[in-house]
Amino acid sequence: MEALVNAGGKGSRMGRCGIEKPMQLVGGVPTVKRVVDALSACSRIDRILVSVSDNTLETEAFLDSIGVETIRTSGESFMDDLHASFETMHGEYVLTCPSDLPLLTTEAVDEFLDFFKPGEMQSAIAVVDEDTVRSVGITPSYTREDGGKNWVLSGICIMSREGTLRGDYLEEFLFKTGRIDLSVNVNTKAELFLARGLANHNGQVSDVRNRSAMVHFDL
């Protein structure tokens, strides 16, 4: 399966900090590289493409320097960048992932891939239970209810490439989890601080397990 990492956004919620959001360091490594490394170790991911834009020229240069394939998109909207990228890809299904998920592990991606059933499913999204997200110190901006519980979007999806390009309705199947490594999207400085603290506490990102967090930080 091909994977697309979205790294072309404006990162406006991060504010002025002089560093592009995908290049913010967590554990001394740019967040975008942490995501690419987690995906690269998945045996079922055979191509990784990172979408960049005029908003993230430093990110593009960095990825090019380490041999990661990139595509320049407009950076105007998620859907515009998604379609532009999908048009250059070839697989039946694509796993999409934001570049701001620095605690992502290969184990989490593999579990999601195990859940997805090609042919039976056209689209799937990984969601994290609200209690887990709040337990690490994040207040979700959006939740969706299913099965009597509230869930937070992780940003990781699998979708039919051709169906998306045609604009077909794709029924979403929810991969429900309590994984901390899918819980922290770095959109603000506070979330960046939190991600750095969690990475330092756990040592290696691969040590983040499928459990509710018991670590709290003062932001």
Side-chain angles (χ1 to χ4, degrees):
M1 183 180 294
E2 293 175 300
L4 173 67
V5 179
N6 303 296
K10 297 177 182 179
S12 55
R13 281 184 286 173
M14 186 67 70
R16 295 180 179 274
C17 54
I19 302 174
E20 294 171 0
K21 189 171 74 166
M23 292 299 293
Q24 291 285 351
L25 300 181
V26 172
V29 180
T31 60
V32 66
K33 186 175 188 299
R34 294 178 75 105
V35 171
V36 168
D37 287 348
L39 294 172
S40 297
C42 295
S43 60
R44 282 169 287 178
I45 300 294
D46 51 26
R47 180 193 181 195
I48 299 171
L49 180 67
V50 182
S51 66
V52 294
S53 73
D54 287 344
N55 300 317
T56 52
L57 297 179
E58 293 178 9
T59 302
E60 180 182 29
F62 169 72
L63 293 170
D64 288 346
S65 74
I66 61 173
V68 176
E69 185 180 3
T70 61
I71 178 175
R72 183 79 70 86
T73 57
S74 71
E76 291 301 317
S77 75
F78 170 78
M79 288 307 299
D80 286 344
D81 291 352
L82 186 76
H83 277 248
S85 302
F86 274 19
E87 287 172 354
T88 72
M89 304 177 87
H90 310 288
E92 185 175 0
Y93 299 97
V94 178
L95 183 146
T96 67
C97 181
S99 62
D100 58 6
L101 201 62
L103 302 185
L104 182 68
T105 63
T106 301
E107 180 183 38
V109 179
D110 282 339
E111 284 188 7
F112 187 34
L113 290 170
D114 286 341
F115 167 81
F116 185 72
K117 301 295 185 289
E120 298 178 23
M121 303 177 182
Q122 291 296 299
S123 175
I125 184 167
V127 294
V128 184
D129 71 87
E130 182 181 10
D131 289 343
T132 296
V133 175
R134 289 186 179 278
S135 73
V136 298
I138 294 177
T139 301
S141 58
Y142 170 79
T143 62
R144 59 188 292 179
E145 190 276 336
D146 190 85
K149 293 188 66 174
N150 288 330
W151 303 91
V152 180
L153 305 181
S154 70
I156 297 184
C157 305
I158 298 173
M159 59 187 74
S160 164
R161 185 181 67 85
E162 292 185 355
T164 300
L165 290 174
R166 288 193 303 265
D168 295 349
Y169 168 75
L170 304 179
E171 181 183 1
E172 284 185 344
F173 290 81
L174 298 184
F175 170 65
K176 301 174 182 178
T177 183
R179 296 192 66 97
I180 298 171
D181 44 0
L182 295 178
S183 300
V184 183
N185 291 89
V186 174
N187 292 303
T188 67
K189 291 177 182 178
E191 289 165 351
L192 176 62
F193 180 86
L194 176 63
R196 287 170 172 169
L198 285 169
N200 290 337
H201 174 81
N202 286 282
Q204 299 297 320
V205 176
S206 59
D207 291 337
V208 182
R209 297 303 180 193
N210 183 13
R211 55 180 174 81
S212 296
M214 299 302 293
V215 184
H216 300 276
F217 299 91
D218 294 324
L219 301 180

